[in-house]
Amino acid sequence: MLEPDRLTVVTTADGSKTIYHPIIKENYHSRNGALQESNHVFLNSGLRYYLADKQHTEVSVLEIGFGTGLNFLLTADFCKGKEIKLQYVGIEAYPLNLSLIEETAYQEIVSANTWGMFTKLYDEALQKPVALNEFCELHIAPIPLESFSSAQLFDVIYFDAFASSNQPEMWTKEAITKTISFLKPGGVFVTYAITGDLKRIMKSLNMKIEKAPGAAGKREMLRAVKS
């Protein structure tokens, strides 16, 4: 895990908090609003888009870049409220220390049950899948994407790596191709970014791409559906 004294908790424009990484020189979420970005890009444009007009009773999500767990917490709360069984896998090569995650005060954003079980089982979730409640199972794979393997395919992929300017290896054709290999046909891929290179890679993988409205501070983002 990263040493907490090398990272800084900062408050974003919407009042929610995120973490600043001094080596990469980037925040884990947008300074224009961590909560706003997670809700808009991942929960609404990803999961809720996938579930729209469908009668799903269960859903599976793979997140590339688990980070502080904010995307997971919002997703878990949403699925519990809708009584949808959630299987969530997050890939995080450098897991944060739990004490640092607790400094984000996300208990002010999500339900007490979701937050309490997440913090209680966080370290265990880094070792194996754990059930937070009757609707939610979480596993955090503490390995890089290149080392991740899964026989399971997922309904939705949240791609939340650091920006390509700071973490270019996560945005190569090789990395994106591997990520898409874990997506079911008809599954949805979402990320906060949209670049010419990313669009070209997606098209080469026969993904149906869409320019969706971006979160605060960004005009557009990318959403793609697997043919």
Side-chain angles (χ1 to χ4, degrees):
M1 294 186 181
L2 290 172
E3 292 298 325
D5 59 356
R6 301 183 70 182
L7 302 170
T8 306
V9 176
V10 296
T11 301
T12 67
D14 64 6
S16 59
K17 295 180 180 180
T18 190
I19 292 171
Y20 176 72
H21 196 305
I23 298 175
I24 295 179
K25 297 182 180 179
E26 188 174 343
N27 297 294
Y28 277 72
H29 307 95
S30 171
R31 287 295 293 266
N32 291 305
L35 177 59
Q36 191 274 344
E37 180 188 47
S38 288
N39 268 323
H40 177 83
V41 175
F42 301 106
L43 183 61
N44 294 333
S45 300
L47 182 66
R48 296 184 71 165
Y49 177 88
Y50 173 78
L51 294 173
D53 302 322
K54 299 183 181 74
Q55 298 299 316
H56 285 294
T57 58
E58 56 185 48
V59 68
S60 56
V61 176
L62 174 66
E63 180 175 17
I64 313 301
F66 187 81
T68 66
L70 179 56
N71 297 332
F72 163 72
L73 290 165
L74 296 173
T75 301
D77 250 10
F78 172 83
C79 287
K80 185 179 180 183
K82 297 291 185 181
E83 296 189 350
I84 297 172
K85 289 189 176 181
L86 170 67
Q87 184 179 21
Y88 199 105
V89 176
I91 300 174
E92 180 51 68
Y94 303 99
L96 294 171
N97 188 292
L98 176 59
S99 63
L100 186 63
I101 291 177
E102 290 176 326
E103 288 186 42
T104 62
Y106 290 154
Q107 71 270 21
E108 299 174 3
I109 293 173
V110 298
S111 68
N113 177 265
T114 297
W115 175 254
M117 293 304 294
F118 171 64
T119 53
K120 178 181 178 180
L121 297 173
Y122 176 76
D123 289 330
E124 189 176 349
L126 287 163
Q127 306 298 323
K128 63 180 182 180
V130 296
L132 272 68
N133 53 53
E134 67 270 34
F135 293 106
C136 177
E137 180 183 274
L138 170 66
H139 177 50
I140 308 166
I143 55 176
L145 172 62
E146 63 190 40
S147 301
F148 179 75
S149 63
S150 174
Q152 176 190 358
L153 298 181
F154 295 83
D155 298 309
V156 181
I157 291 179
Y158 295 168
F159 195 82
D160 200 15
F162 287 120
S164 58
S165 57
N166 294 319
Q167 202 174 29
E169 69 277 9
M170 294 299 295
W171 299 86
T172 63
K173 184 172 184 178
E174 181 181 19
I176 298 298
T177 299
K178 179 161 188 176
T179 298
I180 296 301
S181 72
F182 300 120
L183 189 63
K184 291 180 181 178
V188 174
F189 169 103
V190 283
T191 186
Y192 60 87
I194 185 165
T195 64
D197 284 344
L198 182 58
K199 289 188 289 184
R200 283 189 287 274
I201 292 170
M202 286 292 177
K203 288 179 179 178
S204 74
L205 297 173
N206 296 315
M207 298 287 287
K208 181 181 178 182
I209 64 172
E210 176 185 358
K211 293 180 182 180
K218 287 186 177 291
R219 187 165 60 89
E220 296 174 332
M221 56 166 278
L222 185 139
R223 177 167 57 217
V225 178
K226 192 170 188 177
S227 302

